[in-house]
Amino acid sequence: MTTSTTSTAGATVTGERADLLEALATQRRFLRHTVAGLTDEQARLRTTASELCLGGLVKHVTGVERGWADFILDGPSATGGGWEGGEPPQEVIDAHAATFQLLPDETLAGVLAEYEQVARRTDELVATLPDLDASHPLPEAPWFEKGKRWSFRRVLQHIVAETAQHSGHADIIRESLDGQKTMG
């Protein structure tokens, strides 16, 4: 049996934490590879029936990872929200939609640099959290079961899944753009 080992911020991490870091690194690498070599204009293009664009996906994944890391550190109040039950207000819906767009004043290089900073912070959390079993209640939102808690482990698994899902979206968008594929 092989035990995963990785290093982050000068510390050696083994076992489950190394596995989480490796899974995060792999999915982040796929996403970064998919957008490599694009201009800002290309990163803004919608190449499928979807509203998604490549730069927006990097921006969205960055925001999601940052938000869940904030949740680990500060609990449900860190995730915003501000409404209970029902549908979120229109300004919340609009702000969420903007996370999937590379806006005219944003650059692909800028969102990638921000993604790198967020990734370093998350990696440090994975390496230093005292207890992956610690948990917080999920914020009040229509898409979360009322009263449900997520362990820090579950939050980190969600970040991996979110990154993997959007890396797949990015691969399809990039292939539609210029035929390049992340794998294959």
Side-chain angles (χ1 to χ4, degrees):
M1 183 161 127
T2 306
T3 301
S4 294
T5 303
T6 192
S7 294
T8 183
T12 299
V13 180
T14 61
E16 177 183 23
R17 291 170 192 262
D19 290 343
L20 284 166
L21 288 169
E22 184 178 338
L24 279 167
T26 298
Q27 296 310 317
R28 290 174 183 145
R29 187 173 54 253
F30 286 149
L31 185 57
R32 284 189 204 103
H33 175 76
T34 302
V35 301
L38 293 177
T39 65
D40 292 339
E41 181 179 289
Q42 289 171 313
R44 286 186 186 94
L45 289 175
R46 291 178 40 218
T47 63
T48 67
S50 168
E51 293 287 326
L52 301 176
C53 69
L54 292 164
L57 283 171
V58 174
K59 179 179 156 183
H60 174 74
V61 168
T62 301
V64 167
E65 186 169 325
R66 180 189 306 106
W68 283 111
D70 290 347
F71 173 83
I72 287 172
L73 293 171
D74 301 322
S77 63
T79 60
W83 73 94
E84 292 189 25
E87 290 299 314
Q90 188 61 45
E91 61 268 14
V92 172
I93 293 168
D94 293 345
H96 180 70
T99 70
F100 287 100
Q101 302 169 13
L102 186 63
L103 300 174
D105 64 333
E106 297 171 324
T107 65
L108 181 58
V111 296
L112 284 168
E114 186 176 352
Y115 188 36
E116 191 64 37
Q117 289 178 325
V118 168
R120 276 195 302 275
R121 177 181 176 228
T122 303
D123 290 353
E124 184 65 27
L125 268 176
V126 172
T128 61
L129 282 170
D131 184 4
L132 294 178
D133 289 325
S135 67
H136 291 303
L138 290 172
E140 292 287 326
W143 44 85
F144 292 129
E145 183 182 334
K146 193 168 184 70
K148 184 88 171 173
R149 296 180 71 88
W150 274 9
S151 70
F152 298 166
R153 174 185 297 101
R154 174 66 184 91
V155 171
L156 294 166
Q157 290 169 338
H158 180 73
I159 294 170
V160 172
E162 179 89 8
T163 306
Q165 177 182 18
H166 291 309
S167 291
H169 293 145
D171 196 38
I172 292 167
I173 293 167
R174 180 67 189 256
E175 186 175 3
S176 296
L177 176 68
D178 63 7
Q180 181 172 316
K181 296 184 243 177
T182 301
M183 299 176 72

